[in-house]
Amino acid sequence: MTQIPDVARTRDRVAKHLVGREHELELVLSAVAAGRDIVLEGPPGTGKTTLLRAIADEWGIPLFYVEGNADLTPAKLVGHHNPARVLKEDYSRDNFVPGPLLEAMQQGGFLYLEEFNRAPDDTLNTLLAALAERRVTVPRAGQVVAQPTFRLIASMNPYDNVGTTRLSSSITDRLCRLAVDYQDEAAEISIVDLRTGQGAELGALLVADAVWVNRATRRHPDLRQGSSVRGAIDVVLVANQLAALRGVSEAADSTTRLDPESAYPRLVLDAMAVALSGRIHLDEAAETTPERVLRQIWEDRFILTPAAAQPG
């Protein structure tokens, strides 16, 4: 593919596969169609990868995925000469093994660099020529010129500052940026329902409860970072298996659901401990545990909120 297809048609087709990301879809499509590289900034589980993969699939453009970390060297990103062939034949273009950056440039694909700000400075600096001039010169191998559809799409988590690198202005000046936040409650309920295959009344109740407690982790004062929608998906999946093990079938009864001593609320609490305790991150100053925080959130949902809603 040598050029980007019709953007309006792409938007309409891709939107059918996404939940609640129409605005972000339009902005990303407009940026890449304009020939711009872009960084998507937001917490994990906000659909950044899903959005990008849907666009690439619709356009038939290859997607090259790279995880940014301290081990991502320039050679891993750009490529390297085959050591065995170098010893046998010396350096040449034929024994050069291209990395994901060069492959994306040669095939006109999207290079998706996740956790962009975790990559070392010298690795990020190797991107400058690709971003500015759409070409990279490799010693002893020659020059690679990018196809017109090549784009760098990076992502980063603004809430995580452990092991991250401060991006230089020479990098950020060459990138567009889009903030991608969590979706609203209705959209997350739709996502969880879709991903867990729920349809019965029990499923609808469980999905609503799982999404509520999961979203509550993002506003709890003792947490630096809460859980993405993946946490709610796992709460539902684990809770359903627990329900089968314990023979819990009365969860569809709204009266039973609001009784904290009944089987259903206890089942949700246990599922939360398994699905969410490893996903939430305590504030450094908080003197508590993930389990205590989850217990507080559970009490808010199944004890305090119902009690406040009672007449009198």
Side-chain angles (χ1 to χ4, degrees), residues 27 40 54 89 108 135 144 156 160 167 173 192 196 198 214 241 254 262 274 278 285 309:
L27 296 180
L40 307 178
E89 306 168 8
R135 66 185 65 209
V144 174
M156 53 190 286
D160 195 352
L167 299 175
D173 188 55
V192 175
T196 58
Q198 302 304 304
N214 190 68
Q241 295 302 316
S254 60
S262 67
V274 173

Side-chain angles (χ1 to χ4, degrees), residues 4 10 14 17-18 21 24-25 27-29 31-33 36-40 46-66 109-114 149-155 178 180:
I4 298 296
T10 300
V14 173
H17 306 287
L18 301 174
R21 283 295 182 210
E24 291 82 357
L25 172 60
L27 296 180
V28 173
L29 279 174
V32 296
R36 301 300 92 192
D37 304 295
I38 187 170
V39 57
L40 307 178
T46 48
K48 299 185 294 296
T49 305
T50 302
L51 174 65
L52 181 59
R53 186 180 292 115
I55 295 173
D57 288 346
E58 176 63 28
W59 284 344
I61 289 177
L63 179 64
F64 297 89
Y65 177 90
V66 179
F110 289 166
L111 176 66
Y112 182 44
L113 182 49
E114 193 173 44
T149 53
F150 164 74
R151 301 286 186 273
L152 170 69
I153 316 290
S155 72
L178 175 63
V180 182

Side-chain angles (χ1 to χ4, degrees), residues 34 71-72 127 134 162 281:
D71 296 326
L72 183 63
L127 293 169
R134 319 311 277 183
V162 178
H281 303 278

Side-chain angles (χ1 to χ4, degrees), residues 121-176:
D121 285 336
D122 57 342
T123 302
L124 294 180
N125 288 336
T126 62
L127 293 169
L128 288 174
L131 294 175
E133 303 174 15
R134 319 311 277 183
R135 66 185 65 209
V136 171
T137 301
V138 181
R140 301 188 180 95
Q143 189 176 87
V144 174
V145 179
Q147 293 295 318
T149 53
F150 164 74
R151 301 286 186 273
L152 170 69
I153 316 290
S155 72
M156 53 190 286
N157 178 8
Y159 300 104
D160 195 352
N161 56 13
V162 178
T164 58
T165 301
R166 182 181 176 86
L167 299 175
S168 67
S169 58
S170 58
I171 290 287
T172 57
D173 188 55
R174 290 173 168 84
L175 291 170
C176 293

Side-chain angles (χ1 to χ4, degrees), residues 5 29 87 92 104 127 149 154 194 196 198 225 227 246 256 259:
L29 279 174
L87 290 174
S92 71
L127 293 169
T149 53
L194 182 67
T196 58
Q198 302 304 304
Q225 182 176 335
S227 171
R246 299 174 181 178
T256 303
D259 178 5

